[in-house]
């Protein structure tokens, strides 16, 4: 399976995917930390992919998504955006709604 197929498979397997540097518990950049925190604050259950642990994904994802930076949030396979967009959606209450629409909200 080539790397684009692997990315598609991850997006198909998880309703909410955050490609980030590090993990939600141990983020490796401020933007990734802020994005994961916004998702957690919104009550979203999400699958995090550490792009630092997988150089192939880190190299391929910007071409796949046509988005040059990390983090990158996908909901139901659709690119939502990066840190600023995630934080703006959370501040407006939209991130929580989007997460609950895909049944990704924590009990």
């Amino acid at each position: 399976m080539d790397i684009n197929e692997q990315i598609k498979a991850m997006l198909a397997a998880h309703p909410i995917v955050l490609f980030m540097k590090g993990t939600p518990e141990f983020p490796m950049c401020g933007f990734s930390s802020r994005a994961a925190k916004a998702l957690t604050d919104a009550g979203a259950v999400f699958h995090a992919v550490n792009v630092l642990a997988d150089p192939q994904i880190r190299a391929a994802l910007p071409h796949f998504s046509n988005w040059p930076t990390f983090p990158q949030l996908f909901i139901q396979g659709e690119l939502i955006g990066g840190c600023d967009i995630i934080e703006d959606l959370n501040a407006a209450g939209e991130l929580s709604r989007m997460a609950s629409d895909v049944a990704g909200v924590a009990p």
Side-chain angles (χ1 to χ4, degrees):
M1 181 183 310
D2 82 348
I3 192 64
N4 286 331
E5 292 301 318
Q6 288 178 21
I7 292 168
K8 287 178 188 176
M10 274 188 257
L11 296 176
H14 305 281
I16 302 174
V17 180
L18 181 66
F19 292 92
M20 64 182 290
K21 292 180 179 176
T23 66
E25 298 80 16
F26 299 103
M28 299 301 287
C29 84
F31 295 113
S32 289
S33 176
R34 289 170 33 205
K37 182 179 181 335
L39 282 163
T40 300
D41 289 350
V45 174
F46 62 98
H47 178 71
V49 178
N50 180 359
V51 299
L52 298 177
D54 194 330
Q56 284 188 309
I57 290 178
R58 185 177 185 185
L61 193 63
H63 300 287
F64 176 88
S65 64
N66 199 26
W67 191 270
T69 59
F70 294 99
Q72 294 185 23
L73 175 65
F74 287 79
I75 297 180
Q76 291 185 318
E78 179 184 339
L79 175 67
I80 302 303
C83 180
D84 290 342
I85 292 170
I86 296 166
E87 287 184 319
D88 289 347
L89 288 170
N90 188 41
E94 286 297 303
L95 192 57
S96 178
R97 182 194 59 77
M98 294 166 82
S100 66
D101 285 351
V102 296
V105 173

